[in-house]
C-alpha cells in the first residue's frame, strides 16, 4: 500500500467533540468519522484493525468448536413477544413497521433468533452445539458517547451454546470463559473477569470482562489481595459487626421540624448508620418501600435483580403523599401495609431511627424485626471503597472500567419461549439449556487504544495493527532515496510483511508525525545520510528505540522483530 494513494485523513489538532483518548485519537489518526450521534464510518485503517480483531475472535471461537452463522439484523416482533422482551427492552429497541403494517425491530441481540434456529434440533445426541456470528446490532442509546465505546450501531460477536443439562452449560460456559481470556490477551486488553448482573438477559449467572480505564462507564470492585472482582451492580462486601442496645419497648415519636435528609437528622443524636432510609419505588406498577441503612446508597440494578421487576421507577412526591401521608424526609415503614423490601444490613437491627409518615416527625427506638413487616430481604446497597472483601477481608478498591465482553448462563428461558426442545435419553421432550456470549468489536478497538497510546498517538499491539511496518522515504524528491525506499518496501512485502510506504511529497517531520499518530508498530526510515553509509533506521513505535541497520539486512531484521 502506498500512503499517497491511501485514504487516511489525519488531523493536526484534537477534535473538539472528542471526550475520550480513543475517540480523540481514532478521529485524529483518520480511522473514523462521525455521521451522526452514535453512528461512525470506519475508514480504511479502521477496517484493517477491525478485520484483525475479528480474525482473533474467530480463531478462538473455532478452537472451542463453535460454528459460524449469520442471522438477520431485522427481526419480526413475534419471537421477541414470545420471550417477553418486546416490551421489556423499552425505547432502546429500534422498532419499525413494514409496508404490510407488521411490527419489526432492528436486532439489539439475537437470543430469540438463535433459539428459533435451534428449534430444528431434535435429539440430545445432537448436543452440545455452539454457534456464533459477527453481526450489526442497533441500540437507541439515549446518550451515545466515547466515540466507538457507546454507539447506536455496532458489530458484535455473539455466540450461543445449547446443552442438554446444567452440567453441560457449565462446561460450555467454562470453555467460553477460557476463550475470552485468550482473546483479550491476544488483543492487548487487560480484562478482568468479574461477577456481574444478568440484567434483561436473565439466567442463573454471568461474568463480565472489564478493562480498567478512567473513561469507563462501569465501576469495577476489585480486591488486589485475593483477586475478587465484580461489577458494582453485583459486588458485595463485609461490614463491621454491629451491637445494638435493647432500645425502647415501642417506637417513640419526636418532632423534627425542617428535617429532610439523613444529614439533617444527625442533629437529633441519630447517627447515619442507625437511621433507616425509606425510598419509595414503583415496581411493575406496585408502590413499594425500599429500606436501607442511612449511610448506604441503593444500587437500582440490585433491586431489579432481587425482585425480577421489568419496570422500575422512583415514585413522585404526589404518589408518595397519597400512599403514606407525608413527603420524603419523614417516611418510614413502621405500621404500613405496603410491600417492603429491606437491605440485609438492617436485619436484626434495634434502637433505630426512621420517619413517622407525618411531616416533620420521626420515630426512635425502632426494632426492625419487631416493628417492620419486611416481605423480602436482599443485598441492595452499593459497595464503597475500603469496605472488606467477602473472600479475604482485605480492603476493596473501586475503579472505572470498560465492559469489553459478557458471558451469560441463560438456562431454558428462551428455549421454552421459542420451542427449542429435544428428545432426552429417557424419551421426554425437554428444552435445551442455553448460554450467551458477547464481544463488541468496535468497542474492543476503542479499549485497545485506551490502553495503548501516548502523547504522540496510538501505539497498536502488533496483533491488530493496520500495518506492521511503514517505510518512510525522508526525501521523496531525491531519486536515490526514493528508489532505496522502494527496494526496502518491495523486499518486505515479498516476504509477507504488511507494509505501507510513505511516498508522499511531504516533509519528513510530517511523515514521522503521521506514522506515530496512526500507531504502526515499526518505522523504517530511508534518508540521504543513512544512504551514504548504506543503512536505514528502524524505529520501534512502542519504545521509540531506533537502530541503524544495513539496507541489505532490513528485511531480515524487521522479520526478526515481528517474530520475536
Amino acid at each position: 500500500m502506498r500512503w499517497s494513494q491511501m485514504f487516511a485523513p489525519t488531523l493536526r489538532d484534537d477534535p473538539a467533540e472528542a471526550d475520550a483518548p480513543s475517540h480523540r485519537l481514532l478521529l485524529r489518526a483518520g480511522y473514523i468519522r462521525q455521521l451522526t450521534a452514535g453512528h461512525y464510518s470506519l475508514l480504511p485503517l479502521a477496517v484493517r484493525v477491525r478485520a484483525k480483531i475479528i480474525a482473533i475472535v474467530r480463531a478462538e471461537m473455532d478452537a472451542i468448536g463453535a460454528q459460524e452463522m449469520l442471522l438477520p439484523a431485522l427481526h419480526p416482533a413475534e419471537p421477541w413477544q414470545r420471550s417477553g422482551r418486546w416490551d421489556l427492552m423499552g425505547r432502546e429497541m429500534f422498532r419499525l413497521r413494514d409496508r404490510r403494517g407488521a411490527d419489526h425491530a432492528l436486532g439489539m441481540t439475537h437470543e430469540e433468533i438463535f433459539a428459533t434456529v435451534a428449534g430444528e434440533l431434535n435429539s440430545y445426541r445432537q448436543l452440545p452445539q455452539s454457534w456464533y456470528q459477527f453481526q450489526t446490532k442497533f441500540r437507541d442509546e439515549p446518550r451515545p458517547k466515547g466515540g466507538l465505546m457507546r454507539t447506536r450501531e455496532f458489530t458484535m460477536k455473539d455466540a450461543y451454546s445449547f446443552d442438554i443439562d446444567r452440567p453441560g452449560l457449565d462446561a460450555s460456559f467454562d470453555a467460553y470463559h477460557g476463550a475470552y481470556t485468550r482473546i483479550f490477551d491476544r488483543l492487548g486488553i487487560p480484562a478482568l473477569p468479574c461477577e456481574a448482573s444478568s440484567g434483561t438477559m436473565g439466567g442463573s449467572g454471568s461474568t463480565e470482562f472489564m478493562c480498567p480505564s478512567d473513561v469507563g462507564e462501569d465501576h469495577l470492585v476489585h480486591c488486589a489481595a485475593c483477586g475478587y472482582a465484580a461489577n458494582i451492580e453485583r459486588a458485595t462486601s463485609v461490614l463491621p459487626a454491629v451491637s445494638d442496645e435493647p432500645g425502647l419497648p415501642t417506637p417513640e415519636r419526636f418532632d423534627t421540624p425542617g428535617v429532610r435528609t439523613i444529614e439533617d437528622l444527625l442533629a437529633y443524636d441519630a447517627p447515619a448508620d442507625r437511621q433507616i432510609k425509606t425510598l419509595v419505588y414503583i415496581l411493575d406498577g406496585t408502590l413499594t418501600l425500599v429500606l436501607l441503612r442511612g449511610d448506604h446508597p441503593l444500587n437500582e440494578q440490585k433491586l431489579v435483580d432481587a425482585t425480577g421487576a421489568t419496570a422500575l421507577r422512583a415514585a413522585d412526591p404526589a404518589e408518595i403523599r397519597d400512599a403514606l401521608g407525608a413527603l420524603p424526609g419523614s417516611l418510614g415503614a413502621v405500621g404500613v401495609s405496603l410491600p417492603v423490601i429491606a437491605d440485609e444490613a438492617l436485619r436484626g437491627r434495634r434502637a433505630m431511627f426512621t420517619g413517622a409518615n407525618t411531616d416533620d416527625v420521626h420515630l426512635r427506638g425502632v426494632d426492625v424485626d419487631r416493628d417492620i413487616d419486611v416481605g423480602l430481604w436482599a443485598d441492595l446497597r452499593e459497595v464503597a471503597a475500603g469496605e472488606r472483601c467477602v473472600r479475604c477481608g482485605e480492603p476493596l478498591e473501586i475503579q472505572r472500567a470498560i465492559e469489553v465482553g459478557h458471558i451469560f448462563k441463560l438456562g431454558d428461558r428462551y428455549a421454552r419461549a421459542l420451542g427449542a426442545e429435544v428428545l432426552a435419553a429417557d424419551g421426554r421432550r425437554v428444552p435445551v439449556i442455553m448460554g450467551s456470549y458477547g464481544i463488541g468489536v468496535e468497542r474492543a478497538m476503542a479499549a485497545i487504544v485506551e490502553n495503548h497510546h501516548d502523547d504522540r498517538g496510538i501505539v497498536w499491539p502488533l496483533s491488530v495493527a493496520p500495518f506492521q511496518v511503514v517505510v518512510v522515504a525522508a526525501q521523496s524528491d531525491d531519486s536515490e532515496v526514493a528508489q532505496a525506499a522502494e527496494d526496502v518496501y518491495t523486499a518486505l512485502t515479498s516476504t509477507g510483511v504488511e507494509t505501507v510506504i510513505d511516498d508522499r511529497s511531504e516533509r519528513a517531520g510530517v511523515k514521522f508525525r503521521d506514522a506515530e499518530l496512526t500507531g504502526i508498530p515499526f518505522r523504517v526510515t530511508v534518508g540521504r545520510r543513512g544512504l551514504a553509509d548504506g543503512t536505514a533506521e528502524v524505529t520501534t513505535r512502542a519504545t521509540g528505540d531506533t537502530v541503524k541497520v544495513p539496507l541489505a539486512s532490513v528485511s531480515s531484521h524487521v522479520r526478526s522483530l515481528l517474530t520475536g
Side-chain angles (χ1 to χ4, degrees), residues 69 112-124 126-127 129 131 162 415 418-423 429 432:
M69 295 184 175
E112 285 82 356
I113 314 308
F114 269 91
T116 300
V117 176
E120 295 201 37
L121 296 170
N122 296 311
S123 169
Y124 75 97
Q126 295 173 276
L127 302 178
Q129 290 284 331
W131 304 337
F162 305 87
L418 279 304
E421 298 181 342
V422 297
L423 197 65
R429 291 201 66 81
V432 297

Side-chain angles (χ1 to χ4, degrees), residues 274-295:
R274 301 193 71 83
Q275 297 183 41
I276 301 172
K277 177 162 50 181
T278 304
L279 306 175
V280 187
Y281 274 81
I282 309 295
L283 302 179
D284 291 335
T286 300
L287 191 138
T288 304
L289 304 187
V290 180
L291 309 184
L292 296 100
R293 213 170 77 178
D295 57 340

Side-chain angles (χ1 to χ4, degrees), residues 48 54 141 196 323 351 532:
R48 294 181 69 93
I54 287 175
E141 294 283 356

Side-chain angles (χ1 to χ4, degrees), residues 266-505:
L266 298 178
Y268 293 82
D269 296 322
D273 63 352
R274 301 193 71 83
Q275 297 183 41
I276 301 172
K277 177 162 50 181
T278 304
L279 306 175
V280 187
Y281 274 81
I282 309 295
L283 302 179
D284 291 335
T286 300
L287 191 138
T288 304
L289 304 187
V290 180
L291 309 184
L292 296 100
R293 213 170 77 178
D295 57 340
H296 289 163
L298 170 70
N299 186 292
E300 283 194 353
Q301 185 60 52
K302 286 189 174 184
L303 180 59
V304 171
D305 292 343
T307 62
T310 58
L312 174 149
R313 66 175 176 85
D316 62 43
E319 291 171 318
I320 294 171
R321 182 175 283 283
D322 287 346
L324 295 170
L327 290 173
S330 299
L331 304 179
V334 175
V336 303
S337 57
L338 296 168
V340 176
I341 303 170
D343 182 66
E344 288 286 355
L346 290 175
R347 192 188 287 270
R349 295 299 305 275
R350 300 189 301 270
M352 301 291 283
F353 295 79
T354 191
N357 291 324
T358 301
D359 288 337
D360 299 325
V361 179
H362 280 74
L363 300 175
R364 61 166 62 93
V366 174
D367 183 313
V368 174
D369 291 346
R370 180 192 67 196
D371 301 322
I372 299 176
D373 183 14
V374 176
L376 175 66
W377 290 95
D379 173 25
L380 302 175
R381 67 182 178 86
E382 188 163 286
V383 168
E387 293 176 352
R388 298 294 171 175
C389 175
V390 292
R391 292 184 183 172
C392 71
E394 292 299 310
L396 293 170
E397 303 171 356
I398 298 180
Q399 55 194 137
R400 300 183 72 88
I402 303 166
E403 178 194 340
V404 290
H406 205 158
I407 59 179
F408 300 85
K409 292 183 179 181
L410 297 178
D412 62 7
R413 168 184 176 179
Y414 298 94
R416 285 186 181 278
L418 279 304
E421 298 181 342
V422 297
L423 197 65
D426 61 5
R428 294 179 301 119
R429 291 201 66 81
V430 297
V432 297
I433 308 299
M434 290 177 60
S436 177
Y437 316 89
I439 292 175
V441 174
E442 289 83 14
R443 180 179 289 192
M445 186 187 306
I448 294 168
V449 177
E450 291 294 337
N451 284 274
H452 299 276
H453 70 272
D454 57 23
D455 58 359
R456 298 187 303 278
I458 301 169
V459 185
W460 290 113
L462 188 60
S463 61
V464 295
F467 294 95
Q468 296 168 318
V469 181
V470 54
V471 176
V472 174
Q475 297 87 24
S476 296
D477 56 350
D478 185 310
S479 60
E480 292 185 2
V481 170
Q483 185 57 55
E486 288 285 347
D487 292 343
V488 170
Y489 170 65
T490 300
L492 289 168
T493 55
S494 66
T495 57
V497 178
E498 297 172 351
T499 310
V500 57
I501 182 170
D502 194 342
D503 57 342
R504 294 176 295 171
S505 299

Side-chain angles (χ1 to χ4, degrees), residues 197-277:
S197 165
S198 295
T200 58
M201 296 286 282
S204 60
S206 72
T207 297
E208 276 182 347
F209 288 80
M210 305 277 278
C211 172
S213 171
D214 290 340
V215 300
E217 292 189 305
D218 287 299
H219 285 86
L220 163 67
V221 179
H222 183 232
C223 177
C226 72
Y228 170 75
N231 187 305
I232 201 161
E233 296 175 344
R234 185 76 174 183
T236 60
S237 63
V238 176
L239 296 175
V242 177
S243 178
D244 292 332
E245 298 297 326
L248 302 173
T250 59
E252 178 181 279
R253 293 166 66 94
F254 65 104
D255 292 335
T256 52
V259 168
R260 295 292 179 268
T261 67
I262 299 295
E263 291 72 22
D264 292 342
L265 197 58
L266 298 178
Y268 293 82
D269 296 322
D273 63 352
R274 301 193 71 83
Q275 297 183 41
I276 301 172
K277 177 162 50 181

Side-chain angles (χ1 to χ4, degrees), residues 78-86 112 413-414 417-418:
E78 188 265 344
W80 288 84
Q81 292 167 340
R82 289 175 64 183
S83 73
R85 294 205 298 175
W86 180 256
E112 285 82 356
R413 168 184 176 179
Y414 298 94
L418 279 304

